Amino acid sequence: MTYTPDDLITARLMLAFDDLEPPDTLFERIRGGIAGLTLFRAYNYDNPAQLRQLTARLQHVARAAGRPPLLIAADQEGGQLTALGEGATPFAGNMALGAAGDPALARRVGQAIGRELAALGVNVNYGPVLDLATEPRNPAVGTRAFGDDPTLAATLGAAWIDGLQSAGVAATLKHFPGLGGATLDSHHALPLLDYDRERLARVELPPFRAGIAAGARLLMTGHAAVPALSGAADCPATVAGRVLHDLVRDELGFRGVTISDALDMAAITQGAGQIVEVIAALRAGVDLLLLTADEATHERLHAGLRLAHSRGLFDTTDLSAPAQRIRAVRAWVDGPPQPGLDVVGCADHRALEAELACRALTLVRNDAGLLPLRPGPETRIAAVMPQPRNLTPADTSAYLTPQLAAALRRRHPRVDEFITAHAPDDDEIAALRGRLADYDLVVLGTTAAAAQPQQAALAHAVLALGVPTVAVALRAPFDLAAYPEATTQLATYSLHRPSLDALVDALFGHFTPTGRLPVAVGDRAIV
């Protein structure tokens, strides 16, 4: 087959745009042969009907230009990163699945997510996350991981992939070769993972091997330096041929499409040097380049890549293999018929969402026998939690309204709500401590006490009151180690309302939690 410059260069681009309405320049780029688009909740999502109309319009432009179907992608991981907003089913996410520990459940959730994405015209999901939650200080992974056990992540990840792709939506393994051990967020800096090959083969790589065996169509590179693989402590895996060619292709046998993580992240050189990183990524073995919504960057990088091609910086023979892989996945997403819009947020999916929330809920300690709660009609309960916020750019928690008090009021009328700052100062902690002293029971939720000293300080202050307190890690259960004096501890793995409803039902004895911690909390064994 003869490939044009559009096949070799333009069709390597995944673009984005910052509006509900695409700009004319985007339609021009679709006609010119770009591979596809990434849709973001903050930019492109208003409601399910709007998104379905948008994706249909984009595909119509591609078809009218004689192009194969666009790859239309989103980060619908569930839990703390959901690209779809109101109307879609907000599943609790990977760590909740890890706590439930059931591959059949993971497959059902993956399939439900896939059906909703397909109904909205999204045919690529940037998931599952196969990073392992081995580092409590990791600011970016958290509940996006299935847990810290490679075997668990491999089993659940493969099941989730099978479910997702059974709905006609391509899965993306991320972030290769694994960012779970990082202490820096690659959105802001280049993490260094200084592990030897034996550790990588034993811990980080098994989930990716399982995902490849499960037939995932795409693999996303992580912007982290892994010297044992690349040979350099300042070289992101995204631009390392020893990672993408030698390991991904030759050793692991991946035959699908590789895609970079977003190229606007600070772990990758920005500004004038960005084009060098992009050329290096393509030469290293990246098939698709994930760009964000800045049109000036689109133009600059596209022009730079076409110039690099004309100057012979790419071997045309080497470029033909990525073109074939990209065409293959674009043909694959053109297969199944699109589900109706009524599948989005349907009753079956809502029931599955509630099932996951209940099966994930983990009772970690009930040392004082406080549970189940048996409040009298005059019992006063205080519900305390921080205002939800995004802990990393790969996070949509800030969209959520605090609902711990509302969930508690389903079971008991006398509940007062106290919403704190994410990082409460000493004055706020002192004021709250004074107000809580008169309550009969406190339900205290945290979202980042393991990494945020002020949240941990608030928890210590509340527990020192001596008021019976239920302490709940509302995101990653690492928080529980930050306040070990709490004798009643639970983990929900999610801030979404179904997880809070499950928490309250368990607190009042309506079911017994069966979830198990999918990560070590407290004194950790060396993995």
Side-chain angles (χ1 to χ4, degrees):
M1 178 180 290
T2 300
Y3 290 98
T4 69
D6 283 339
D7 292 313
L8 299 175
I9 298 297
T10 308
R12 311 287 290 275
L13 304 178
M14 291 287 288
L15 303 186
F17 62 98
D18 184 3
D19 206 339
L20 297 179
E21 178 67 20
D24 290 341
T25 52
L26 182 66
F27 294 132
E28 294 171 8
R29 294 192 185 282
I30 292 172
R31 296 184 188 102
I34 61 168
L37 300 153
T38 304
L39 302 179
F40 294 94
R41 181 170 177 173
Y43 300 162
N44 312 119
Y45 185 89
D46 184 46
N47 60 68
Q50 166 266 329
L51 192 65
R52 184 178 171 110
Q53 292 172 0
L54 171 63
T55 56
R57 183 179 179 193
L58 295 170
Q59 293 291 15
H60 173 76
V61 172
R63 286 194 302 271
R67 300 292 181 182
L70 292 168
L71 300 177
I72 300 182
D75 287 290
Q76 188 66 357
E77 297 175 5
Q80 73 184 62
L81 183 55
T82 55
L84 308 181
E86 293 298 320
T89 308
F91 290 100
N94 283 357
M95 193 168 284
L97 286 167
D102 182 357
L105 178 62
R107 187 189 188 282
R108 290 162 59 205
V109 170
Q111 185 177 55
I113 290 173
R115 292 180 69 208
E116 295 200 4
L117 288 171
L120 298 175
V122 177
N123 52 33
V124 174
N125 194 2
Y126 292 148
V129 169
L130 295 180
D131 309 318
L132 297 175
T134 55
E135 173 51 69
R137 295 170 297 170
N138 189 308
V141 174
T143 60
R144 301 168 70 196
F146 289 106
D148 63 10
D149 177 14
T151 301
L152 178 70
T155 301
L156 297 180
W160 196 94
I161 291 162
D162 184 55
L164 182 81
Q165 295 196 157
S166 74
V169 175
T172 308
L173 312 178
K174 68 182 188 185
H175 308 80
F176 190 87
L179 297 180
T183 56
L184 297 176
D185 187 340
S186 55
H187 291 90
H188 307 303
L190 177 65
L192 173 64
L193 300 177
D194 199 11
Y195 300 139
D196 60 27
R197 284 296 299 258
E198 185 277 331
R199 149 79 191 227
L200 291 164
R202 178 170 49 87
V203 178
E204 276 71 27
L205 294 184
F208 291 97
R209 289 184 182 274
I212 292 169
R217 298 285 167 168
L218 292 91
L219 178 148
M220 180 180 287
T221 65
H223 299 329
V226 191
L229 299 178
S230 68
D234 60 352
C235 178
T238 300
V239 300
R242 288 171 58 178
V243 175
L244 291 170
H245 183 272
D246 299 359
L247 179 56
V248 171
R249 298 295 183 194
D250 290 350
E251 184 176 331
L252 299 184
F254 181 63
R255 297 293 176 258
V257 170
T258 54
I259 182 170
S260 73
D261 205 344
L263 291 170
D264 66 338
M265 295 164 67
I268 295 288
T269 303
Q270 300 299 300
Q274 189 182 34
I275 185 61
V276 178
E277 298 276 45
V278 170
I279 292 171
L282 293 184
R283 289 170 61 97
V286 169
D287 294 335
L288 286 175
L289 300 167
L290 199 170
L291 304 180
T292 48
D294 183 66
E295 288 192 48
T297 300
H298 297 173
E299 180 59 36
R300 174 168 50 82
L301 294 182
H302 189 202
L305 288 172
R306 291 177 68 91
L307 178 62
H309 181 249
S310 72
R311 296 296 188 264
L313 295 183
F314 301 117
D315 185 292
T316 300
T317 302
D318 291 340
L319 288 177
S320 64
Q324 291 173 358
R325 290 191 289 267
I326 293 166
R327 286 194 172 188
V329 77
R330 293 177 75 172
W332 184 86
V333 300
D334 197 29
Q338 186 176 23
L341 191 60
D342 59 352
V343 77
V344 180
C346 66
D348 286 347
H349 291 177
R350 296 291 180 178
L352 180 59
E353 169 193 42
E355 178 185 347
L356 171 58
C358 289
R359 294 180 62 183
L361 184 71
T362 305
L363 176 61
V364 180
R365 298 178 67 183
N366 188 27
D367 297 353
L370 183 60
L371 303 182
L373 300 177
R374 294 288 185 257
E378 300 304 315
T379 299
R380 298 180 66 215
I381 300 176
V384 182
M385 67 173 288
Q387 178 66 38
R389 61 168 286 183
N390 296 338
L391 304 186
T392 171
D395 196 341
T396 52
S397 299
Y399 285 97
L400 299 177
T401 300
Q403 296 194 64
L404 179 58
L408 283 163
R409 290 184 189 119
R410 291 174 48 246
R411 297 294 180 188
H412 185 74
R414 302 199 65 189
V415 177
D416 292 329
E417 181 176 56
F418 297 89
I419 305 302
T420 73
H422 173 74
D425 60 23
D426 291 345
D427 290 342
E428 183 177 6
I429 292 172
L432 180 64
R433 189 175 187 275
R435 297 181 68 185
L436 295 181
D438 294 332
Y439 281 84
D440 302 300
L441 175 73
V442 175
V443 180
L444 171 66
T446 64
T447 57
Q452 175 50 261
Q454 292 95 321
Q455 277 196 33
L458 184 146
H460 294 315
V462 172
L463 290 162
L465 287 171
V467 176
T469 299
V470 175
V472 186
L474 296 172
R475 288 181 55 141
F478 298 126
D479 278 14
L480 301 177
Y483 36 82
E485 69 269 35
T487 57
T488 307
Q489 295 186 338
L490 297 97
T492 64
Y493 312 98
S494 171
L495 293 163
H496 291 285
R497 180 58 185 265
S499 296
L500 300 182
D501 285 340
L503 167 69
V504 170
D505 287 347
L507 293 183
F508 285 83
H510 292 275
F511 78 96
T512 300
T514 59
R516 299 173 63 87
L517 286 175
V519 294
V521 174
D523 294 332
R524 299 176 53 79
I526 301 297
V527 178

